[in-house]
């Protein structure tokens, strides 16, 4: 089936300069939802939308997204001039690139997944004074459209260098930051399908700030939600450039100036917080705590922990293997500053891994602890669980 490729359309095309008081999608959102069988004009464009079947969810596609639709185009007298249903093959195209009649792109941006509508397009937003095969000049046309699905497409760097297609949406709204530790799975292939890199089945873990494999991975990861699966099209400047990559780990080499196709999943990530703001105490959250409250300063906290040196020497245990947990009041200098400051940021039930520089540890002195001696200027590691905390109320006399 031949599909008319009209002029590229965006919202400003539909509006002209003053045609619409608001965008088509805004009209739908600000008015009561259409009922099946009801028809409404989108703004003041003359484009009419009649709801034939309800869709699901609330999301609608945007310009740049890749939609898959069935549609049938007819004149007002019922004569059909194009149809994807004749051969049972839906059409997939990117919204806003003029792959369909002018104005139809805008109508589709008001549709939900599974929704079926009848759009009536005036000549200016159909095929205009020129018409097309089967459509006389200056004709009003109608499109019976069913939105089967769509893929959100994101130009991550706004230069076409990394195009992200979201295949499965992630959970919640949190995205990893540069400090966080991420667990990802990926497969990288050349344009001809040759696989040139792939993670083990369990995935690969790394800190975002440290980077991995090539720049596009980290640039894409910080735009993703936990559990999100995407496909990336990566241009050479965000991959291996004009140098390429030698064969390694049983995978073939990557030729210079190769465009890469990447299947990427953000399995999970562990948030890392710069507790002191000077990169001297980092807290990596291993397990989220309960609710939204944190201990803050002046709370009576109960924690368990294991503490060790960089070489793995354990120098202290509290509240593990049947031992007594540690109880103290934050901001009272009862423990080292790094542990004190970190505990004040923790929720009940939270588990975290702390890395503490000497300035917030035992400083330049020797510290004799329960299980080992801590040498001067030692970096420390604590695996901590916040068992409980109680806000301490002070009464003014």
């Amino acid at each position: 089936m031949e599909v008319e490729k009209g002029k590229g359309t965006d919202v400003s095309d539909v509006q002209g300069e003053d045609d619409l008081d608001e965008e088509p999608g805004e009209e739908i959102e600000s008015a009561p939802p259409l009922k099946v069988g009801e028809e409404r004009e989108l703004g003041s464009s003359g484009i009419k939308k009649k709801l034939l079947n309800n869709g699901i969810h609330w999301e609608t596609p945007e310009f740049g997204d890749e939609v898959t639709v069935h549609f049938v185009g007819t004149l007002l007298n019922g004569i059909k001039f194009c149809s994807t249903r004749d051969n049972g093959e839906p059409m997939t195209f990117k919204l806003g690139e003029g792959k369909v009649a002018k104005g139809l792109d805008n109508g589709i941006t008001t549709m939900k997944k599974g929704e079926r509508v009848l759009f009536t397009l005036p000549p200016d937003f159909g095929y205009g004074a020129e018409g097309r095969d089967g459509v006389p000049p200056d004709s009003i046309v109608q499109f019976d459209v069913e939105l089967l699905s769509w893929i959100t497409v994101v130009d991550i760097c706004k230069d076409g260098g990394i195009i992200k297609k979201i295949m499965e949406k992630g959970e919640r709204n949190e995205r990893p930051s540069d400090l966080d530790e991420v667990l990802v799975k990926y497969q990288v292939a050349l344009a001809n399908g040759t696989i040139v890199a792939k993670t083990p089945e369990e995935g690969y873990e790394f800190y975002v700030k440290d980077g991995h494999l090539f720049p596009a991975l980290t640039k894409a990861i910080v735009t993703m939600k936990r559990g999100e699966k995407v496909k990336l099209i990566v241009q050479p400047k965000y991959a291996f450039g004009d140098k390429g990559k030698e064969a390694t780990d049983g995978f073939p080499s990557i030729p210079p100036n190769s465009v890469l196709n990447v299947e990427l999943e953000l399995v999970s990530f562990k948030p890392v917080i710069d507790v002191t703001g000077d990169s001297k105490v980092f807290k990596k959250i291993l397990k989220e705590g309960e609710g939204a409250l944190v201990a803050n300063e002046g709370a009576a906290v109960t924690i368990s922990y294991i503490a060790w040196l960089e070489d793995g020497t354990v120098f202290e245990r509290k509240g593990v293997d049947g031992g007594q947990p540690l109880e103290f009041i934050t901001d009272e200098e009862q423990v080292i500053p790094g542990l004190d400051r970190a505990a004040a940021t923790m929720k009940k039930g939270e588990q975290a891994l702390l890395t503490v520089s000497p300035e917030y540890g035992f400083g330049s002195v020797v510290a004799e602890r329960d299980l080992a001696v801590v040498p001067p200027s030692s970096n420390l590691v604590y695996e901590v669980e916040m068992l409980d905390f109680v806000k301490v109320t002070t009464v003014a006399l």
Side-chain angles (χ1 to χ4, degrees):
M1 179 191 70
E2 181 180 347
V3 177
E4 177 71 15
K5 295 183 179 180
K7 174 186 172 185
T9 305
D10 58 23
V11 172
S12 62
D13 290 327
V14 175
Q15 292 177 327
E17 292 295 324
D18 302 302
D19 290 341
L20 289 184
D21 296 327
E22 53 190 341
E23 296 180 13
E26 291 177 335
E27 173 71 17
I28 293 300
E29 291 168 2
S30 59
L34 279 172
K35 298 178 181 179
V36 173
E38 186 180 354
E39 185 174 61
R40 179 181 297 156
E41 183 175 350
L42 302 182
S44 55
S45 63
I47 300 172
K48 295 180 180 179
K49 174 183 177 180
K50 182 178 182 180
L51 183 62
L52 303 179
N53 287 111
N54 284 314
I56 59 174
H57 308 307
W58 57 269
E59 301 100 328
T60 57
E62 300 178 356
F63 286 101
D65 289 351
E66 193 174 87
V67 298
T68 299
V69 300
H70 264 310
F71 63 83
V72 179
T74 59
L75 304 177
L76 287 180
N77 61 11
I79 294 176
K80 181 170 60 178
F81 59 85
C82 68
S83 174
T84 62
R85 294 190 181 277
D86 287 350
N87 59 10
E89 290 291 331
M91 181 179 178
T92 298
F93 61 96
K94 187 178 288 189
L95 285 176
E97 291 192 341
K99 302 296 184 181
V100 292
K102 181 183 176 183
L104 187 56
D105 276 338
N106 296 77
I108 291 174
T109 63
T110 71
M111 297 179 66
K112 303 177 180 70
K113 182 178 179 180
E115 189 173 314
R116 184 174 176 182
V117 305
L118 181 67
F119 289 115
T120 301
L121 307 182
D124 287 348
F125 302 115
Y127 298 103
E130 296 181 358
R132 56 151 282 177
D133 291 344
V135 179
D138 295 316
S139 293
I140 296 174
V141 294
Q142 293 185 315
F143 283 91
D144 178 338
V145 182
E146 181 181 5
L147 178 57
L148 302 176
S149 63
W150 80 86
I151 296 171
T152 299
V153 180
V154 182
D155 184 350
I156 290 176
C157 297
K158 309 301 182 187
D159 61 0
I162 308 171
I163 301 298
K164 179 180 83 165
K165 297 183 179 182
I166 301 177
M167 311 308 294
E168 288 188 25
K169 294 183 178 180
E171 307 167 2
R172 298 154 63 174
N173 286 320
E174 296 94 342
R175 294 176 174 85
S177 68
D178 286 346
L179 292 176
D180 295 347
E181 186 179 58
V182 296
L183 175 63
V184 300
K185 294 181 181 180
Y186 60 76
Q187 177 176 288
V188 183
L190 302 177
N192 64 8
T194 301
I195 297 173
V196 292
K198 187 176 182 179
T199 57
E201 183 62 31
E202 65 274 15
Y204 185 80
E205 200 166 37
F206 66 97
Y207 289 96
V208 175
K209 63 181 175 63
D210 293 338
H212 177 64
L213 200 61
F214 51 84
L217 275 186
T218 52
K219 289 181 181 296
I221 285 168
V222 295
T223 72
M224 297 172 66
K225 301 174 185 177
R226 194 187 312 264
E228 186 173 314
K229 295 180 181 180
V230 304
K231 289 186 178 180
L232 306 176
I233 302 174
V234 182
Q235 298 302 316
K237 70 175 181 177
Y238 292 108
F240 296 100
D242 57 7
K243 294 182 179 180
K245 182 177 181 292
E246 295 181 355
T248 54
D249 301 324
F251 291 102
S253 62
I254 299 175
N257 298 312
S258 292
V259 176
L260 302 179
N261 295 313
V262 183
E263 295 179 10
L264 174 64
E265 177 185 359
L266 177 57
V267 179
S268 63
F269 65 91
K270 297 169 184 172
V272 177
I273 298 167
D274 184 350
V275 174
T276 52
D278 57 4
S279 301
K280 300 292 186 180
V281 180
F282 287 110
K283 180 183 78 166
K284 178 167 69 176
I285 299 175
L286 304 177
K287 178 186 175 184
E288 291 282 350
E290 306 168 8
L293 293 177
V294 298
N296 285 329
E297 297 175 355
V301 303
T302 304
I303 63 173
S304 64
Y305 65 83
I306 301 175
W308 62 89
L309 305 175
E310 283 185 306
D311 65 4
T313 301
V314 175
F315 62 84
E316 204 163 45
R317 297 173 184 264
K318 297 289 183 181
V320 295
D321 299 329
Q324 280 292 113
L326 177 67
E327 298 180 5
F328 67 96
I329 297 175
T330 58
D331 202 33
E332 293 272 330
E333 299 183 358
Q334 297 176 5
V335 295
I336 62 168
L339 181 58
D340 189 43
R341 297 277 292 271
T345 71
M346 295 180 70
K347 300 176 183 178
K348 190 177 297 185
E350 180 179 323
Q351 295 177 10
L353 189 70
L354 311 180
T355 54
V356 181
S357 295
E359 296 91 327
Y360 292 91
F362 297 106
S364 58
V365 301
V366 175
E368 294 188 6
R369 308 312 291 171
D370 294 346
L371 303 177
V373 173
V374 177
S377 303
S378 292
N379 292 310
L380 313 174
V381 182
Y382 285 77
E383 186 170 338
V384 183
E385 180 176 2
M386 177 61 70
L387 301 177
D388 197 7
F389 64 82
V390 178
K391 301 286 187 179
V392 176
T393 304
T394 58
V395 179
L397 299 177

